[in-house]
Amino acid sequence: MIEMAEVGVNHLNLHQMRLTPYNFGPLTERGYVFLHGEKVTLLESELCALRLVRFGLEQGIPLPVNYCSFPYKSRFQQAAARHRAALAVRASGEEVTEAGYLRSLSATSVRYWEAALLENPSYSYPFEKIMLETGRALYVER
């Protein structure tokens, strides 16, 4: 961290690691401790991030450090992603809530939908196809 501050790094952003189908093998081979919650995260990644924050404070290192835990990312980044997806599929008369849900009002009911970004549409709900530069497609589905 000291070297980062000395060479002009403006801030350090640390993310909590989590277990996925793609990193399952390497992470389990290393003997990490897994925390079971909304998603499986690694205890050691949280401890390391907290130690780095404490070290920077104790040493007076002028490098802002942000620790982005999975619960934080899940709550706020998912809401932002939902909001962007909802803007792409909202219909006339619908509005996007602050939490990123689609809302429509009628004389008889209030209805909410969640917009999601998917690799494949379920075909159960209206969706929009988005082509990526790689040639792959993503779908925004209500």
Side-chain angles (χ1 to χ4, degrees), residues 15 45 57 78 83 103 106 109 114 130:
H15 291 263
S45 74
L57 291 171
Q78 272 186 345
H83 192 271
R103 175 173 51 207
S106 70
S109 66
E114 179 176 357
I130 301 171

Side-chain angles (χ1 to χ4, degrees), residues 124-141:
S124 299
Y125 305 98
F127 63 88
E128 297 287 330
K129 182 177 183 179
I130 301 171
M131 290 303 298
L132 303 175
E133 291 179 9
T134 61
R136 293 182 60 202
L138 290 177
Y139 299 87
V140 179
E141 184 174 279

Side-chain angles (χ1 to χ4, degrees), residues 1 6 9-10 25-26 28 30 32 36 41 50 52-53 71 74 76 81 99 102 111 115-116 125 128 133 138 140:
M1 286 179 55
E6 289 174 350
V9 172
N10 293 328
T28 54
R30 292 184 179 170
Y32 288 118
H36 299 276
T41 56
L50 295 173
L52 285 170
V53 170
S74 178
F76 294 102
L102 292 166
R111 298 175 13 181
Y125 305 98
E128 297 287 330
E133 291 179 9
L138 290 177
V140 179

Side-chain angles (χ1 to χ4, degrees), residues 79-138:
R82 237 187 349 259
H83 192 271
R84 287 189 302 272
L87 290 173
V89 296
R90 75 175 166 183
S92 176
E94 292 179 336
E95 62 183 273
V96 180
T97 68
E98 188 175 325
Y101 292 97
L102 292 166
R103 175 173 51 207
S104 66
L105 300 174
S106 70
T108 59
S109 66
V110 175
R111 298 175 13 181
Y112 288 86
W113 294 271
E114 179 176 357
L117 192 58
L118 307 168
E119 291 183 19
N120 297 298
S122 69
Y123 298 102
S124 299
Y125 305 98
F127 63 88
E128 297 287 330
K129 182 177 183 179
I130 301 171
M131 290 303 298
L132 303 175
E133 291 179 9
T134 61
R136 293 182 60 202
L138 290 177

